[in-house]
């Protein structure tokens, strides 16, 4: 895919998401979410694990072709349920934007790798043939966030099933209904293809205690956690093998060589996507002084507003608590609503608010998870890169740069040392939205897997045949 095609896709998505797009969806009659009793929805972790174990044993007898068919059915189910689950997620969690969730969920259905990504390896030589193939762990425990509830369930679910596993999800308590509903629909799709029941499981009422039970349970061979610092720490201390995907604070650097109109447009698109609750999206701008004012103008021309002076004071008081924490009430809310609550009148079409502040400001230092970001002005590109590295806090998650100077791009790529580095595009391109490559919604920086997919949920097994099966 070339630059023009990527630009066209991004433009199309921006147009679809449009400044004027409502954050709530149309009125759709959603089926009541199942409590325990839905397919794969259980009263206790133990029941969920027993069901998953039974499903895993049945899956072991299924062929790769059958696994592929189940995955195709899961993709179709996601597309068929897009409107319902996107609306349910916004309503239940109170986070994000309906149209943006449609785009995120569709991306997962279309660009999550399946069985084809598990490539066997063959090595031959004077001593014969050695084969490496990918085997399942068995039952995987997966802890999912409220910010991308259905995206994470299907993205992890496809990768884990492709590798031959069954899953028990501990879904986020504030996304439990949409998660249970979706898990029921996914299991129904597999059953319709003649596949095992209960490949995906959850508890109807997930809690931190149920997550802890899952993390410590002997039948769980592998843990995958997707969330903030607390759950990552808990997983690392569980004594189990864990794939841990934690928080980020992605900086976007813009230097004097960048295409400024494009940078302004891309930053507003990225930083406002699903009201900034996505871990990979731009969370602060670091702009070289020479282009800083022009960049602000471009951002404002694309449904962003600059907040300053007394208005900035009011916004700080609303969003940052006296003990310097983010006011969780405003996580994932629309920019226009947040600003209205701060007493600042802006058009309803506003997607993003930004404020020029020093590097030490909470809007820069905190992972705000809302469409309000800090804008830091620096002297030159070297200072910009150094600042970006500091404010990313060593999470090693995601960083973005707009520049046409390949030396500067190379310097930033090395310095930021992140799992994802996006050049000259919205950060969302890093997970395949308008960029090349597969999508992942579990980006494991603390444990080093980066963009997780099926091979990460599989065990490598080697088989050696001495002195035979070479064909030359
Ligand atoms: P969260 O940490 O509040 O919750 C995530 C999950 O972990 C939930 O299911 C929750 O119940 C569970 N949990 C939380 N603390 C726990 C503990 N101590 N023990 C056991 N379980 C615990 O996160 P959230 O608000 O749902 O999601 C937003 C956060 O997740 C942000 O920090 C974001 O950057 C991060 N995130 C990272 C990725 C990634 O791929 N790296 C993806 C999505 C979200």
């Amino acid at each position: 895919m070339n630059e023009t095609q990527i630009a066209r896709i991004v433009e199309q998505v921006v147009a679809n998401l449009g400044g004027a797009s409502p954050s709530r969806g149309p009125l759709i009659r959603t089926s009541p979410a199942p409590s325990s009793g839905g397919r794969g929805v259980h009263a206790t972790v133990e029941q969920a694990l027993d069901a998953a174990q039974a499903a895993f044993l049945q899956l072991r007898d299924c062929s790769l072709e059958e696994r592929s068919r189940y995955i195709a059915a899961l993709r179709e189910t996601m597309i068929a349920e897009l409107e319902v689950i996107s609306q349910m997620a916004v309503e239940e969690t109170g986070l994000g934007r309906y149209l943006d969730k449609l785009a995120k969920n569709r991306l997962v259905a279309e660009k999550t790798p399946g069985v084809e990504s598990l490539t066997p390896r063959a090595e031959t030589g004077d001593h014969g043939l050695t084969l490496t193939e990918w085997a399942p762990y068995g039952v995987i425990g997966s802890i999912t966030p409220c910010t991308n509830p259905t995206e994470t369930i299907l993205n992890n679910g496809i990768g884990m099933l492709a590798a031959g596993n069954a899953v028990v999800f501990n879904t986020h308590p504030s996304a439990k209904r949409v998660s249970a509903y979706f898990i029921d629909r996914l299991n129904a799709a597999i059953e319709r293809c003649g596949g095992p029941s209960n490949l995906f499981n959850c508890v109807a009422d997930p809690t931190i205690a149920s997550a802890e039970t899952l993390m410590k349970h002997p039948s769980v061979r592998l843990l995958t956690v997707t969330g903030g610092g607390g759950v990552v720490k808990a997983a690392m201390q569980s004594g189990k093998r864990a794939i841990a995907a934690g928080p980020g604070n992605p900086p976007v650097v813009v230097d004097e060589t960048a295409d400024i109109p494009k940078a302004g447009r891309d930053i507003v698109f990225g930083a406002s996507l699903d009201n900034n609750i996505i871990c990979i999206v731009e969370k602060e701008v670091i702009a070289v002084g020479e282009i800083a004012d022009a960049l602000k103008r471009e951002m404002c021309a694309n449904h962003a507003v600059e907040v300053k002076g007394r208005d900035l004071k009011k916004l700080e008081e609303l969003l940052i608590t006296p003990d310097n924490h983010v006011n969780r009430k405003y996580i994932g809310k629309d920019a226009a609503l947040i600003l209205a609550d701060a007493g600042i009148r802006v058009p309803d079409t506003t997607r993003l608010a930004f404020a020029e502040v020093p590097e030490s400001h909470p809007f820069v230092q905190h992972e705000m998870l809302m469409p309000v970001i800090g804008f830091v002005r620096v002297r030159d590109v070297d200072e910009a890169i150094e600042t970006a590295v500091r404010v990313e806090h060593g999470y090693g998650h995601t960083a973005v740069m707009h520049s046409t100077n390949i030396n500067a791009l190379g310097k930033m790529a090395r310095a930021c040392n992140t799992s994802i580095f996006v050049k000259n595009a919205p950060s969302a391109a890093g997970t395949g939205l308008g960029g090349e490559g597969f999508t992942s919604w579990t980006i494991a920086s603390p444990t080093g897997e980066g963009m997780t997919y099926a091979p990460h949920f599989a065990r490598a097994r080697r088989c050696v045949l001495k002195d035979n099966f070479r064909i030359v």
Side-chain angles (χ1 to χ4, degrees):
M1 196 182 280
N2 63 33
E3 280 285 316
T4 322
Q5 287 167 313
I6 293 173
R8 203 170 305 132
I9 290 173
V10 171
E11 268 165 31
Q12 215 174 352
V13 177
V14 174
N16 285 345
L17 303 183
S21 69
S23 54
R24 304 290 171 266
L27 273 181
I28 298 167
R29 190 190 294 274
T30 53
S31 322
S35 53
S36 40
R39 291 176 190 81
V41 185
H42 306 274
T44 66
V45 176
E46 283 74 14
Q47 286 166 4
L49 283 165
D50 286 348
Q53 181 63 26
F56 164 63
L57 294 178
Q58 288 178 48
L59 186 64
R60 271 207 312 206
D61 293 332
C62 297
S63 64
L64 287 172
E65 193 274 330
E66 283 170 311
R67 278 191 221 168
S68 293
R69 269 199 294 115
Y70 308 154
I71 291 171
L74 297 178
R75 297 186 201 279
E76 280 166 22
T77 301
M78 170 67 106
I79 298 295
E81 295 283 341
L82 271 184
E83 287 89 358
V84 172
I85 57 173
S86 298
Q87 179 174 319
M88 283 178 82
V90 173
E91 283 178 2
E92 184 180 3
T93 64
L95 308 176
R97 302 176 76 93
Y98 168 74
L99 290 181
D100 299 18
K101 288 201 186 290
L102 290 182
K104 288 166 62 185
N105 281 312
R106 179 178 286 282
L107 176 73
V108 168
E110 292 176 350
K111 291 185 78 174
T112 301
V115 172
E116 74 290 345
S117 60
L118 293 158
T119 324
R121 195 168 60 232
E123 294 157 88
T124 66
D126 292 342
H127 300 296
L129 166 72
T130 291
L131 188 64
T132 303
E133 288 186 335
W134 299 102
Y137 279 91
V139 175
I140 299 181
S142 171
I143 298 183
T144 55
C146 58
T147 47
N148 320 311
T150 51
E151 298 87 334
T152 313
I153 287 171
L154 188 63
N155 182 246
N156 284 355
I158 288 179
M160 291 169 181
L161 168 54
N165 305 284
V167 195
V168 174
F169 292 99
N170 199 83
T171 63
H172 197 288
S174 57
K176 66 182 178 185
R177 286 197 303 278
V178 63
S179 301
Y181 172 81
F182 191 45
I183 285 169
D184 172 75
R185 298 288 79 219
L186 295 176
N187 281 320
I190 296 171
E191 283 177 22
R192 277 197 302 276
C193 302
S197 303
N198 299 321
L199 279 172
F200 297 152
N201 302 274
C202 66
V203 282
D205 279 311
T207 57
I208 297 281
S210 64
E212 283 168 355
T213 307
L214 187 66
M215 283 189 191
K216 304 226 162 94
H217 204 284
S219 9
V220 173
R221 289 282 316 272
L222 171 70
L223 270 179
T224 302
V225 304
T226 316
V231 71
V232 167
K233 192 168 168 207
M236 308 278 256
Q237 290 172 348
S238 68
K240 276 197 199 306
R241 168 153 162 63
I243 295 175
N249 196 35
V252 48
V253 164
V254 186
D255 79 6
E256 69 283 6
T257 70
D259 175 342
I260 302 301
K262 180 176 178 340
R265 199 168 61 237
D266 286 357
I267 291 170
V268 177
F269 169 75
S272 69
L273 192 64
D274 216 13
N275 283 342
N276 201 280
I277 54 178
I278 311 171
C279 57
I280 64 161
V281 303
E282 293 87 343
K283 298 231 166 8
E284 60 278 334
V285 181
I286 300 158
V288 169
E290 194 181 323
I291 50 80
D293 292 327
L295 180 64
K296 284 182 180 180
R297 281 194 297 277
E298 294 298 339
M299 289 172 67
C300 291
N302 286 278
H303 302 291
V305 295
E306 182 176 6
V307 179
K308 44 189 172 184
R310 291 240 302 272
D311 283 347
L312 177 54
K313 275 265 154 301
K314 291 192 277 185
L315 195 58
E316 289 163 350
E317 278 165 22
L318 185 77
L319 299 182
I320 305 297
T321 64
D323 57 348
N324 193 20
H325 285 100
V326 176
N327 182 349
R328 298 190 63 82
K329 179 178 167 195
Y330 291 101
I331 288 181
K333 296 293 185 287
D334 292 358
L337 181 148
I338 296 172
L339 295 174
D341 277 12
I344 306 165
R345 286 174 63 86
V346 294
D348 281 350
T349 52
T350 303
R351 281 191 66 102
L352 181 73
F354 68 91
E356 182 166 342
V357 290
E359 178 189 336
S360 58
H361 194 277
F363 289 179
V364 176
Q365 295 292 326
H366 291 323
E367 186 191 32
M368 298 284 289
L369 297 167
M370 62 184 77
V372 175
I373 62 172
F375 185 108
V376 181
R377 187 186 294 254
V378 292
R379 205 176 42 246
D380 57 27
V381 70
D382 293 329
E383 189 184 345
I385 293 172
E386 285 160 20
T387 307
V389 169
R390 283 195 298 272
V391 304
E392 209 271 330
H393 302 313
Y395 290 132
H397 196 299
T398 298
V400 185
M401 186 173 194
H402 290 269
S403 172
T404 55
N405 175 345
I406 53 165
N407 292 332
L409 287 165
K411 182 174 179 184
M412 170 93 177
R414 282 189 300 278
C416 66
N417 195 20
T418 44
S419 298
I420 301 177
F421 178 48
V422 176
K423 302 169 180 172
N424 297 323
S427 62
T431 193
L433 188 67
E436 275 304 327
F438 68 87
T439 196
S440 176
W441 290 78
T442 292
I443 299 141
S445 301
T447 46
E449 292 82 359
M451 303 271 291
T452 56
Y453 68 127
H456 296 120
F457 307 122
R459 297 160 50 227
R461 290 186 53 204
R462 167 182 274 208
C463 180
V464 178
L465 177 66
K466 177 87 172 111
D467 295 338
N468 251 312
F469 277 3
R470 259 174 73 76
I471 57 169
V472 290

